[in-house]
């Protein structure tokens, strides 16, 4: 148990659906991250939130919309996704003064049909 | 252009011996370098980090070495144990938390 939980663990959605991924951390951290891991590719950073403000958007398409309502919760809102968006989506958190020390959740396996 | 590379997709080591995992990077602007371990169906687990101003950091059986002139870092695990069998990711991070990961190396430690 790493202290970072993600729900759902698995999600299948059509290209016209709207869904949200949820991440919650119980570590007292104040920075949170979304990553994408596609098959045969390295982990890719999508978004960084520090003290509830987005500080990094790594050229992610607008069909992915993050939300950080407080330092413990992070959402990724999904709409009109493409099949190539199918991947493992990982959330992580860290102390804001130690951004290199990230603790990951188990991920959400997303399949877009 | 992949900024962080792990050129060995797999490594097999006998229990009790040393495991050496390697990583190369191209960007001199990274502030920290990290190693993560990942088991199937779990997220990566932070193992050890090293600041770009240091050349060695040790934590129990794990030691990370940084060679800035060669843009190379390595993770030494000694002695290796069967429970160390996992995928190991190297990552480089800026002070803003922007991390770039390698492809991973699958370590198998044989009893």
């Amino acid at each position: 148990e790493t202290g970072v939980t993600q729900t759902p663990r698995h999600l299948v959605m059509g290209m016209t659906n709207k869904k949200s991924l949820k991440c919650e951390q119980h570590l007292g951290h104040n920075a949170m991250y979304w990553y994408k891991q596609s098959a045969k590719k390295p982990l890719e950073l999508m978004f960084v939130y520090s003290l509830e403000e987005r500080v990094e958007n790594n050229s992610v398409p607008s069909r992915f919309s993050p939300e950080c309502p407080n330092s413990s919760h992070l959402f990724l809102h999904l709409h009109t996704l493409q099949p190539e968006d199918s991947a493992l989506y990982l959330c992580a958190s860290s102390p804001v003064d130690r951004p290199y020390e990230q603790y990951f959740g188990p991920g959400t396996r997303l399949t877009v049909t | 252009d992949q900024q962080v590379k792990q050129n060995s997709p797999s490594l097999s080591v006998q229990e009790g011996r040393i495991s050496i995992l390697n990583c190369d990077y191209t960007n001199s602007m990274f502030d920290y370098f990290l190693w993560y371990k990942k088991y199937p169906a779990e997220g990566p687990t932070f193992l050890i980090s090293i600041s770009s101003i240091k050349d060695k950091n040790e934590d129990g059986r794990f030691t990370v070495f940084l060679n800035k002139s060669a843009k190379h870092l390595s993770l030494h695990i000694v002695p290796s144990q069967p429970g160390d069998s996992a995928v190991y990711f190297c990552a480089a991070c800026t002070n803003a938390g922007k991390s770039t990961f390698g492809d991973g190396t699958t370590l198998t430690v044989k009893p």
Side-chain angles (χ1 to χ4, degrees), chain B residues 3-106:
Chain B
Q3 296 187 60
V4 178
K5 289 185 181 178
Q6 294 174 255
N7 291 316
S8 298
S10 63
L11 174 67
S12 183
V13 170
Q14 204 66 34
E15 181 178 7
R17 307 294 287 267
I18 185 170
S19 295
I20 300 177
L21 298 134
N22 294 301
C23 180
D24 297 297
Y25 63 94
T26 57
N27 188 341
S28 300
M29 301 304 292
F30 292 121
D31 299 296
Y32 294 93
F33 300 90
L34 321 150
W35 285 95
Y36 287 86
K37 174 180 178 179
K38 185 179 184 304
Y39 293 117
E42 293 183 13
T45 301
F46 172 76
L47 262 182
I48 191 168
S49 66
I50 186 166
S51 164
S52 61
I53 62 172
K54 302 219 169 149
D55 53 23
K56 178 182 175 182
N57 188 25
E58 189 172 351
D59 183 3
R61 297 186 296 115
F62 302 91
T63 303
V64 56
F65 294 92
L66 177 62
N67 182 335
K68 287 185 286 295
S69 60
K71 294 191 174 68
H72 178 85
L73 69 153
S74 61
L75 175 68
H76 292 210
I77 306 173
V78 55
S80 302
Q81 300 171 355
D84 295 329
S85 298
V87 180
Y88 288 79
F89 292 97
C90 157
C93 185
T94 68
N95 277 325
K98 184 169 181 177
S99 292
T100 304
F101 282 74
D103 289 324
T105 297
T106 301

Side-chain angles (χ1 to χ4, degrees), chain A:
Chain A
E1 175 58 52
T2 65
V4 180
T5 58
Q6 289 186 244
T7 54
R9 294 292 308 273
H10 300 271
L11 178 63
V12 179
M13 60 186 288
M15 289 189 284
T16 57
N17 290 160
K18 288 184 181 181
K19 296 285 184 183
S20 295
L21 309 185
K22 179 182 176 183
C23 175
E24 186 172 358
Q25 60 94 4
H26 310 276
L27 300 169
H29 292 162
N30 38 26
M32 296 187 79
Y33 312 80
W34 277 117
Y35 287 88
K36 174 184 179 182
Q37 186 167 34
S38 305
K40 310 289 186 188
K41 292 178 75 173
L43 212 57
E44 298 172 70
L45 179 67
M46 298 175 73
F47 299 105
V48 178
Y49 275 83
S50 179
L51 300 172
E52 299 159 41
E53 285 196 26
R54 191 191 312 179
V55 297
E56 180 74 33
N57 175 348
N58 212 22
S59 303
V60 180
S62 59
R63 57 186 184 268
F64 295 91
S65 174
E67 179 190 2
C68 187
N70 55 62
S71 60
S72 299
H73 293 87
L74 185 66
F75 294 90
L76 188 63
H77 304 300
L78 316 170
H79 64 99
T80 59
L81 294 193
Q82 305 297 312
E84 59 264 30
D85 296 323
S86 299
L88 180 68
Y89 289 85
L90 288 156
C91 169
S93 70
S94 77
V96 73
D97 59 340
R98 298 198 302 278
Y100 49 86
E101 198 176 300
Q102 295 181 20
Y103 292 80
F104 282 80
T108 295
R109 174 69 63 186
L110 174 67
T111 303
V112 181
T113 60

